Amino acid sequence: MNRSLQHNSVNRVMLLILDITLIAFAFNVSNYIRYGSLDLQHQYNVFFVLFTLVWWIVSGFKNFIIRIDSVIACDKRFANVVNAFIMHAFILASCIVIFNLEALSRLLLLYTYLSTALLIGFSRLILQLINKYFSNSENASTKFVIVGTGPAAMSLHQTFSNDENPGARFMGFFDDAPDRNSPYASQVRGGVADLKEYCLENGIDEIYYAMPLTSKEQIDDLSDFADNNFMYFRIVPDFSAIVKRDVNMYLYNNVPMISIRKEPLELISNRIIKRAFDIAFSLTVIMFLFPIILPLIALAIRLDSKGPIFFKQLRPGKKNRLFVCYKFRTMHVNNQTEVQATKHDPRVTRVGRFLRKTNLDEIPQFFNVLLGDMSVVGPRPNLVSQLDHYSKVITKYKMRHFVTPGITGYAQVSGYRGETKELHLMEKRVEYDVQYMENWSFMMDMKIIFLTVWNMIKGEKNAY
């Protein structure tokens, strides 16, 4: 296992070096096509560093480009590359605006992207073919088998299948009671009693034991067999007998721990990525969009009704900590701020109805994002009165407060926004919020933001 991890680390570094080399080559080629020279001007040398740095971030945290899994379908690999370049372009465009790099040649940038995409795409295709050849050939340096066909065995097989280690070759499963309807049934070589003979005949190097840890005698027997025949014997714990749901297992100072709930944002690296994006995105909106729309919306609100431009209200945030949430005022001044807006609500002004339908009333919340009280994407912060009520009647309601609330969320773009006069509507919101927590990814945030903008353009019938 450690040998594989070390190989992967070296592999990733080598692929990153290859990428940087190809990007540098693409820059020089693009500069020659655009200006007829291979010498980059100073501003393009600076831009090359920025371009490469963003590519390192994109390829690193999402594994889009630093994987060469031969088992991933061709269309999936193509989609991964496209997604990586879309994300890279989005972040780079934000950097160009923030650092005032508009003087860069758009034509040179286009040439650079096209040539980089072709070079990196072609390099990954070649690496895929090499990986596939070595993985399926007799030249594979390490041959391994898995004892068991349960959840732990399947997870291990999937992990190794998605591993970019061309020196490992999977030789089969061994189980006394395999599932004959499993798609992996053809890879079962026999029962546990057949394992020793098979290993000796085929020169197996590693045995992974992925069955419930209930038979100490069997584990000791196989361990002794492996030791006596110069094979590595590794145990992959199967907790399916005591844990009936998906879990995450990790090591804390060499102490194994199980997390019952899957939460990608538990990882500090993911939290850093999300927070960095929140700061960059909120600053962009505050500096470039807010100064333009504030005078227009403020004038419209003042002409439409008496009262302040902004509306402030306490909302429960992460771990139920209250914070002051900012919005443009969309209602006549009233004393019923803890009552949810309804369809044709007389409290909502004419301008307020438009702001709500287009989500423009939420723009001031980007200050909440900058302050860290909110995120661009996350479960919407409900009213304090809703927290008190729904936490008593919806089992998983409090789970949504494990993460920072957002300006927009998965539930909202999935059709669950507006009034929640029936309990099942709030239950569906909570369901989508929990799904977001358990399946978070940067691309998921990008998708939600895109759908939010699209809904703003077309309008939403449940926004009132």
Side-chain angles (χ1 to χ4, degrees), residues 61-62 263-276 440-442:
F61 71 75
K62 193 56 186 172
E263 287 186 46
L265 288 174
E266 279 187 343
L267 298 177
I268 188 171
S269 57
N270 287 340
R271 293 203 300 271
I272 291 174
I273 291 164
K274 187 170 177 62
R275 182 59 185 151
W440 177 89
S441 68
F442 186 79

Side-chain angles (χ1 to χ4, degrees), residues 4 33 43 53 64 99 122 151 158 174 194 267 316 362 388:
S4 176
I33 296 174
Q43 66 268 29
L53 179 62
F64 274 128
F99 297 114
F122 183 72
Q158 187 63 40
F174 287 84
D194 304 314
L267 298 177
E362 315 283 1
D388 295 335

Side-chain angles (χ1 to χ4, degrees), residues 377 408 410 413-414 441-454:
V377 181
T408 185
Y410 188 38
V413 300
S414 300
S441 68
F442 186 79
M443 284 308 298
M444 188 177 189
D445 276 2
M446 296 300 101
K447 178 181 178 180
I448 291 172
I449 291 173
F450 172 79
L451 291 175
T452 300
V453 175
W454 174 248

Side-chain angles (χ1 to χ4, degrees), residues 16-68:
L16 182 59
I17 293 174
L18 174 63
D19 286 350
I20 295 174
T21 303
L22 294 176
I23 291 172
F25 182 73
F27 260 81
N28 282 279
V29 170
S30 301
N31 193 73
Y32 183 80
I33 296 174
R34 178 70 177 88
Y35 297 113
S37 173
L38 293 176
D39 296 328
L40 294 176
Q41 300 178 20
H42 173 71
Q43 66 268 29
Y44 290 116
N45 282 318
V46 175
F47 184 61
F48 166 72
V49 175
L50 180 62
F51 190 101
T52 305
L53 179 62
V54 174
W55 184 257
W56 171 70
I57 294 172
V58 170
S59 64
F61 71 75
K62 193 56 186 172
N63 280 351
F64 274 128
I65 302 301
I66 58 175
R67 296 173 61 142
I68 54 172

Side-chain angles (χ1 to χ4, degrees), residues 181-299:
N181 296 321
S182 169
Y184 300 99
S186 62
Q187 295 178 280
V188 177
R189 307 305 180 199
V192 178
D194 304 314
L195 174 65
K196 295 179 181 179
E197 182 180 355
Y198 183 89
C199 290
L200 294 174
E201 290 179 353
N202 293 275
I204 300 301
D205 300 291
E206 298 178 352
I207 301 173
Y208 290 88
Y209 188 88
M211 296 181 69
L213 307 180
T214 55
S215 178
K216 183 178 184 300
E217 293 78 9
Q218 186 180 71
I219 295 174
D220 289 341
D221 179 52
L222 293 178
S223 177
D224 291 339
F225 166 76
D227 289 342
N228 293 332
N229 292 278
F230 308 104
M231 302 175 192
Y232 292 99
F233 182 74
R234 312 185 195 281
I235 297 176
V236 182
D238 185 349
F239 298 102
S240 59
I242 57 175
V243 180
K244 301 301 182 182
R245 57 187 293 185
D246 291 337
V247 299
N248 286 341
M249 184 172 180
Y250 57 95
L251 292 177
Y252 184 80
N253 289 338
N254 295 323
V255 177
M257 295 186 180
I258 294 177
S259 176
I260 300 298
R261 186 173 57 254
K262 178 184 176 184
E263 287 186 46
L265 288 174
E266 279 187 343
L267 298 177
I268 188 171
S269 57
N270 287 340
R271 293 203 300 271
I272 291 174
I273 291 164
K274 187 170 177 62
R275 182 59 185 151
F277 174 78
D278 283 343
I279 293 174
F281 195 90
S282 59
L283 277 176
T284 301
V285 172
I286 291 170
M287 290 190 299
F288 297 101
L289 180 61
F290 197 75
I292 298 174
I293 66 170
L294 174 61
L296 299 176
I297 293 179
L299 180 62

Side-chain angles (χ1 to χ4, degrees), residues 2 50 70 77 112 117 136 152 194 203 244 321 339 362 383 421 430:
N2 291 335
L50 180 62
S70 60
R77 294 199 300 270
T112 302
N136 297 327
D194 304 314
K244 301 301 182 182
R321 287 191 291 265
V339 178
E362 315 283 1
L383 300 171
K421 56 184 177 181
V430 173

